[in-house]
C-alpha cells in the first residue's frame, strides 16, 4: 500500500503545484521540491526514497529522449563548439574543482572526486523547467549542454567510485579508453537504434508505431550500458536522429498522438522527480549524524558557490579563446553580449541526476568497510540542488530581464514557413488535381480556401501599425473562438438529443480542438 499512497500523494502534488506556482510566481520545480519536503513529514511516507536505479534506468532515458527530440538541431550545430566544451571540458574542470573543495575540507581525493563527478553535470529536467521562456539560442545552448554532460560526468563518477572503493586502479590509458568507448560507442548505438526506430515509425498502425517510439530510448540506453558505453549519449543521438526523420516518415496521426503522450508523460516524470528529491531530503538529513549536519550545510554552500564561480570563469575564458582564435566574419555573428554570457553562466542548475549518482555510491568498499563519507556526499549533493533551485531559480527571471536578450526570430520563421508552403501548394494544385483526377469544382474550392489562408498570412506579415494589427488579430481570434463554441454546443445538443453517437462527438471535438490550437497559436503546455 505504501507505493500506492506515494503515487497518489505525488499525483495530488503535481496538480496543486501546477496551479499554485504561476500564482505564487515561484518556479514550478521549487514548489514541487518544497511540497516533497512537506510530504516527508507524513509518517507513512517518511521511508519513501528516490531509487537511484529508477532515475538512471526509467526516468532519465524518457526525459532525455523527448528533450533531444524537441531540441533545435540547427542551433545545436551552430553553437556546437560551445556545447561540446561545456559538455566535456567544463564537466571535468568542475568535477576536479569540487573535489579540491572537498579535499580542503578534509576529504580523501578519490572520495572528493566522487562528490565532484556527481555534481559536475547540469540537469536537463531542471534546465528545461527553469529556462523554458528563454529565446531559442540561449535555450538550445543550455538544453544541449545538459543532454551530453551526463555522459562525461557518469564516466568520471564510475572511475572515481571504483578507486575510492578499492575495486581498481586506473592509468591514463585506461581512462582514455573508457572515455572513447563511452562516447564513440554511445554515438554508434544511438545512430543504429535511431535508424531502426525511424523504420518502425513507418508502420500504418498508429498505436504500434508509437509503442515502438516509446521503447526506442530504453533499447538505446540498455544496449549502450551492456557494452559500457554512454547510455545517455546513445539516447540523445537516437532522439536527434528520429526528430529529423520522423517528420517525413511517421503518419500524421502517430505524430499528433506522440506529441500529446510525451508532453504529458515527461511533465509527470519531471514533476515526480522533484517531489522525490524533496522526500529524499528527509531521509538524507536523518541518515547524517547530528554533529555533521552544520558541517554538511557549510560544505554544500561552499561547493555551490564554487560551481557558480567555475562555470562563470570557464564561460568567459572559453569565449575569449574562441574569439581570439576564430575571427571569421561568420563567427562574429554568433557572439553573445556580456550580459547573455553572465546569464548562461548562472544557469547551471543541478537536479535529480546528481542526487541519483550520489545515491548510487556503494554502501561498502573492498574488505567490507563502509564507503567513506557516503552520507555526507549525499547530503551535500542535496543541499546544492536545493540552493540551485531556491536561489538561482527565483533570481533567473530578473537576470533574463537584465540580460536584454535580442528578440527571438521563431515567430518570423514560422510565418515564413506557413506563407511559403501555402504558396507552393497553390502553385502545385493544378498539376496535383489533374494527376489525381479531381473534378474542377473540388479543385477550385481547395484553391479558394488556400488563397484565403495565404491572404491572412500575408496580412500578418505586412509592416503595418503594431497596435492595429494586434487589435485585428485579437478580434479575429475572439470571433472564431466564439463560433467554435457554438459548434461545440450544437454537437453536444445533438448528442443529448440522442441524434449522434459519443464516438461522433469525440471525433468532431478533436477536429475543433486542433482548429482552436491552430487559430490561437497555442501549444499544449
Amino acid at each position: 500500500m505504501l507505493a500506492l499512497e506515494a503515487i497518489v500523494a505525488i499525483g495530488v502534488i503535481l496538480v496543486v503545484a501546477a496551479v499554485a506556482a504561476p500564482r505564487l510566481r515561484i518556479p514550478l520545480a521549487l514548489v514541487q521540491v518544497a511540497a516533497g519536503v512537506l510530504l516527508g513529514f507524513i509518517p507513512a511516507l517518511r521511508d519513501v526514497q528516490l531509487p537511484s536505479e529508477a532515475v538512471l534506468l526509467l526516468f532519465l532515458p524518457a526525459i532525455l529522449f523527448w528533450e533531444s527530440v524537441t531540441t533545435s538541431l540547427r542551433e545545436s550545430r551552430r553553437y556546437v563548439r560551445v556545447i561540446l566544451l561545456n559538455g566535456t571540458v567544463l564537466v571535468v574542470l568542475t568535477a576536479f574543482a569540487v573535489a579540491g573543495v572537498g579535499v580542503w575540507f578534509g576529504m580523501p581525493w578519490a572520495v572528493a572526486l566522487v562528490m565532484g563527478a556527481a555534481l559536475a553535470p547540469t540537469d536537463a529536467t531542471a534546465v528545461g523547467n527553469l529556462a523554458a521562456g528563454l529565446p531559442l539560442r540561449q535555450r538550445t545552448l543550455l538544453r544541449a549542454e545538459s543532454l551530453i554532460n551526463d555522459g562525461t560526468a557518469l564516466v568520471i563518477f564510475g572511475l572515481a567510485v571504483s578507486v575510492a572503493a578499492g575495486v581498481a586502479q586506473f592509468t591514463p590509458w585506461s581512462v582514455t579508453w573508457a572515455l572513447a568507448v563511452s562516447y564513440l560507442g554511445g554515438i554508434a548505438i544511438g545512430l543504429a537504434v535511431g535508424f531502426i526506430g525511424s523504420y518502425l515509425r513507418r508502420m500504418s498502425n498508429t498505436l504500434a508505431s508509437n509503442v515502438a517510439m516509446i521503447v526506442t530510448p530504453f533499447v538505446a540506453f540498455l544496449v549502450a550500458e551492456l557494452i559500457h558505453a554512454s547510455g545517455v549519449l546513445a539516447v540523445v543521438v537516437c532522439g536527434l536522429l528520429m526528430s529529423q526523420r520522423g517528420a517525413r516518415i511517421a503518419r500524421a496521426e502517430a505524430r499528433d498522438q506522440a506529441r500529446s503522450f510525451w508532453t504529458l508523460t515527461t511533465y509527470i516524470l519531471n514533476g515526480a522527480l522533484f517531489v522525490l528529491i524533496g522526500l529524499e531530503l528527509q531521509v538524507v538529513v536523518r541518515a547524517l549524524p547530528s554533529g555533521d549536519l552544520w558541517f554538511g550545510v557549510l560544505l554544500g554552500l561552499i561547493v555551490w558557490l564554487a560551481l557558480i564561480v567555475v562555470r562563470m570563469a570557464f564561460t568567459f575564458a572559453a569565449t575569449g579563446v574562441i574569439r581570439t582564435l576564430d575571427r571569421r566574419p561568420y563567427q562574429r555573428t554568433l557572439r553573445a553580449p556580456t550580459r547573455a554570457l553572465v546569464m548562461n553562466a548562472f544557469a547551471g542548475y543541478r537536479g535529480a541526476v546528481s542526487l541519483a549518482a550520489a545515491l548510487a555510491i556503494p554502501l561498502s568498499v573492498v574488505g567490507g568497510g563502509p564507503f567513506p563519507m557516503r552520507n555526507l556526499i549525499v547530503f551535500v549533493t542535496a543541499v546544492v540542488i536545493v540552493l540551485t533551485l531556491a536561489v538561482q531559480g527565483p533570481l533567473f527571471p530578473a537576470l533574463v530581464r537584465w540580460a536584454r536578450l535580442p528578440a527571438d526570430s521563431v515567430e518570423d520563421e514560422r510565418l515564413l514557413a506557413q506563407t511559403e508552403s501555402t504558396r507552393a501548394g497553390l502553385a502545385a494544385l493544378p498539376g496535383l488535381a489533374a494527376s489525381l483526377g479531381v473534378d474542377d469544382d473540388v479543385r477550385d474550392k481547395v484553391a479558394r480556401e488556400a488563397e484565403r489562408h495565404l491572404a491572412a498570412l500575408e496580412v500578418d506579415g505586412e509592416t503595418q501599425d503594431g497596435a492595429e494589427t494586434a487589435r485585428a488579430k485579437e478580434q479575429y481570434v475572439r470571433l472564431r473562438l466564439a463560433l467554435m463554441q457554438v459548434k461545440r454546443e450544437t454537437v453536444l445538443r445533438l448528442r443529448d438529443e440522442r441524434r449522434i453517437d459519443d464516438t461522433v462527438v469525440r471525433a468532431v471535438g478533436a477536429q475543433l480542438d486542433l482548429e482552436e490550437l491552430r487559430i490561437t497559436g497555442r501549444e499544449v503546455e
Side-chain angles (χ1 to χ4, degrees), residues 8 47 67 101 107 161 180 190 195 241 252 259 285 296 336 358 385 424 504 510:
V8 172
D47 294 327
E67 286 285 334
V101 174
M107 301 176 70
V161 167
F195 275 109
L241 177 63
R259 279 191 295 268
V285 171
I385 293 171
V504 177

Side-chain angles (χ1 to χ4, degrees), residues 57 61-62 65 186 189-190 192-194 196-197 200 211-227 230-232 234-235 238 242:
L57 303 179
F65 179 73
I189 290 170
V193 176
I196 296 172
L200 295 176
V211 169
M213 184 182 185
I214 294 169
V215 174
T216 296
F218 297 98
V219 172
F221 195 92
L222 174 63
V223 175
E225 290 296 316
L226 289 176
I227 67 167
S230 172
V232 169
V235 171
C238 177
M242 292 187 67

Side-chain angles (χ1 to χ4, degrees), residues 22-75:
R23 296 182 179 181
L24 298 175
R25 297 184 179 180
I26 298 176
L28 179 60
L30 182 57
V31 175
Q32 291 166 339
V33 170
V37 172
L38 295 176
L39 201 63
F41 286 103
I42 300 176
L45 300 176
R46 287 174 64 86
D47 294 327
V48 174
Q49 292 186 262
L50 176 64
S52 175
E53 296 81 4
V55 175
L56 298 177
L57 303 179
L58 176 61
F59 287 82
L60 197 60
I63 293 172
L64 290 181
F65 179 73
W66 189 240
E67 286 285 334
S68 60
V69 167
T70 55
T71 293
S72 170
L73 186 58
R74 183 193 68 178
E75 295 299 305

Side-chain angles (χ1 to χ4, degrees), residues 14 26 44 160 203 240 395 511:
L14 294 184
I26 298 176
M203 290 187 289
L240 290 173
L395 289 178
Q511 293 176 345

Side-chain angles (χ1 to χ4, degrees), residues 329-347:
Y330 173 72
Q331 174 60 31
R332 294 178 181 274
T333 65
L334 303 181
R335 292 182 177 180
T338 301
R339 295 191 178 198
L341 295 177
V342 173
M343 185 210 67
N344 285 342
F346 193 74

